[in-house]
């Protein structure tokens, strides 16, 4: 006889199944194994799932218990129905994927480290370094000789090695025609020139006093500062607390000064600006363009570039000129196209390029620059060496791009130049 609940074979006369504990009913005559070979009409056929189906003729016969070493269930007695194999139901558990937590943490840490490094570099560049002693007579400046005396000019004209930037001990004596020149005077900000630093640690410096008259923090910087009518890289930005007065130095890079062949500073053109670092949505405080003449206005010597034999004029329109002056295939950054820009107008121009092709292959350097009023700018357009290598370019023979020149302060105006130009080597 068999248990009608689990299908276990039992001894005759057993009242309770030794496997599942179900009560065993006695079999009626003619209901033995042979009678169970075919299910009654209208009931489930042999092998039909017995999962809650009251019409199923035979109950399921389970496989061995979990953990059993048997690879297959025990053979069923002759005439027993095929075992019921239950279909596993969803458990709601998701398939575990690879753990990306470590990767995410690594990327976050890497990003923080990179940002910290950039912040330190910017702070270092913007912080005021030690300046040089004031040269006497016709002595060359440090950005001409490449030397630096490493001290600040203090009251009385002496050099102080121990003076520190940004402190009251570093107040410089006003000198020359620049002393007392006001660069900005508004209800919120006052900036005044104290004197020159011809031998500053970066090249050429202009010392200023800054008074924050507002009730909020202000970061004071230069929108642009030109020397002898040339756009020279400038380093200056300082934060001033409400009501605070500080002294600092505006610096021009010696390497950029040498690029123009300037040996004497005769004119400084600059425009100050300031903003609230705690609220970027506030309107900026903007100054006006100011011209300073360290040797007097009559001594001004505007920069005039001598044309070169390899010059290729790319644009010459309405007082604005762009000239390709050469190239530097061995540049630190890759391949550089050297260009010279001139602006003989009182407007500021935005100059950009697009649809750039090198030897017929499109490689965009994503370049644009601002050309301030009445100035010139020696700069370059650079292509990364990896991009050129990927394009299979060993020697640059031709560069073609769409050149656009438009008014920086009037976005609605049509560009004065918008044409495709070519440079050949």
């Amino acid at each position: 006889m068999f248990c009608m609940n689990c299908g276990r074979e039992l001894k005759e006369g057993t009242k309770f199944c030794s496997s599942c504990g179900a009560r065993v009913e006695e079999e009626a005559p003619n209901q033995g194994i042979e009678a169970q070979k075919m299910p009654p009409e209208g009931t489930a056929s042999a092998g039909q799932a017995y999962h809650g189906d009251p019409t199923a003729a035979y109950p399921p016969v389970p496989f061995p218990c979990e953990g059993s070493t048997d690879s297959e269930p025990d053979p069923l007695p002759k005439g027993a129905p095929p075992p019921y194999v239950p279909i596993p139901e969803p458990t709601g558990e998701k398939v575990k994927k690879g753990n990306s937590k470590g990767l995410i943490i690594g990327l976050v840490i890497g990003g923080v480290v990179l940002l910290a490094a950039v912040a330190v570099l910017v702070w270092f560049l913007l912080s005021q370094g030690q300046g040089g002693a004031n040269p006497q007579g016709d002595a060359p400046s440090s950005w001409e000789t490449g030397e630096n005396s490493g001290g600040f000019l203090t009251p009385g004209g002496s050099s102080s090695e121990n003076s520190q930037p940004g402190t009251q001990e570093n107040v410089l004596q006003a000198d020359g025609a620049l002393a007392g020149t006001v660069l900005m005077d508004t209800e919120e900000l006052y900036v005044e020139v104290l004197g020159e630093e011809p031998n500053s640690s970066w090249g050429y410096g202009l010392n200023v006093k800054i008074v924050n008259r507002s009730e909020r923090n202000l970061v004071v910087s230069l929108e642009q500062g030109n020397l002898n009518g040339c756009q020279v890289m400038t380093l200056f930005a300082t934060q001033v607390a409400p009501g605070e007065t500080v002294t600092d130095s505006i610096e021009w890079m010696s390497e950029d000064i040498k690029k123009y062949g300037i040996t004497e500073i005769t004119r400084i053109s600059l425009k100050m600006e300031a903003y609230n670092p705690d609220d970027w949505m506030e309107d900026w405080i903007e100054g006006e363009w100011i011209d300073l003449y360290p040797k007097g206005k009559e001594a001004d010597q505007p920069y005039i570039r001598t044309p070169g034999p390899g010059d290729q004029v790319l644009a010459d329109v309405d007082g604005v000129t762009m000239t390709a002056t050469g190239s530097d295939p061995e540049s630190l950054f890759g391949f550089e196209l050297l260009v010279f820009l001139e602006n003989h107008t009182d407007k500021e121009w935005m100059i950009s390029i697009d649809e750039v092709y090198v030897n017929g292959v499109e490689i965009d350097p994503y370049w644009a620059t601002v050309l301030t009023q009445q100035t010139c700018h020696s700069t370059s357009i650079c292509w990364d060496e990896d991009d050129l290598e990927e394009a299979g370019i060993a020697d640059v023979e031709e560069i073609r791009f769409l050149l656009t020149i438009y008014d920086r302060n009037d976005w609605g105006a049509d560009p004065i130049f918008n044409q495709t130009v070519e440079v050949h080597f």
Side-chain angles (χ1 to χ4, degrees), residues 336-409:
E336 285 190 85
L337 172 64
L338 309 179
V339 296
F340 188 77
L341 309 170
E342 296 177 86
N343 179 11
H344 300 286
T345 74
D346 292 327
K347 293 183 178 182
E348 294 181 337
W349 301 98
M350 178 69 74
I351 304 176
S352 63
I353 63 175
D354 198 7
E355 301 176 11
V356 185
Y357 292 85
V358 179
N359 291 6
V361 180
E362 185 170 15
I363 307 176
D364 199 335
Y366 303 102
W367 179 90
T369 189
V370 173
L371 187 60
T372 56
Q373 60 189 27
Q374 299 293 342
T375 190
C376 61
H377 187 23
S378 179
T379 184
S380 64
I381 305 172
C382 181
W383 285 262
D384 186 84
E385 59 182 352
D386 292 336
D387 292 338
L388 295 174
E389 182 178 349
E390 184 178 347
I393 299 176
D395 298 311
V396 176
E397 300 175 353
E398 177 193 75
I399 297 175
R400 183 175 75 254
F401 53 81
L402 177 64
L403 174 62
T404 305
I405 304 174
Y406 53 94
D407 190 337
R408 182 193 183 193
N409 300 308

Side-chain angles (χ1 to χ4, degrees), residues 38 126 277 354:
M38 296 297 295
L126 295 181
D354 198 7

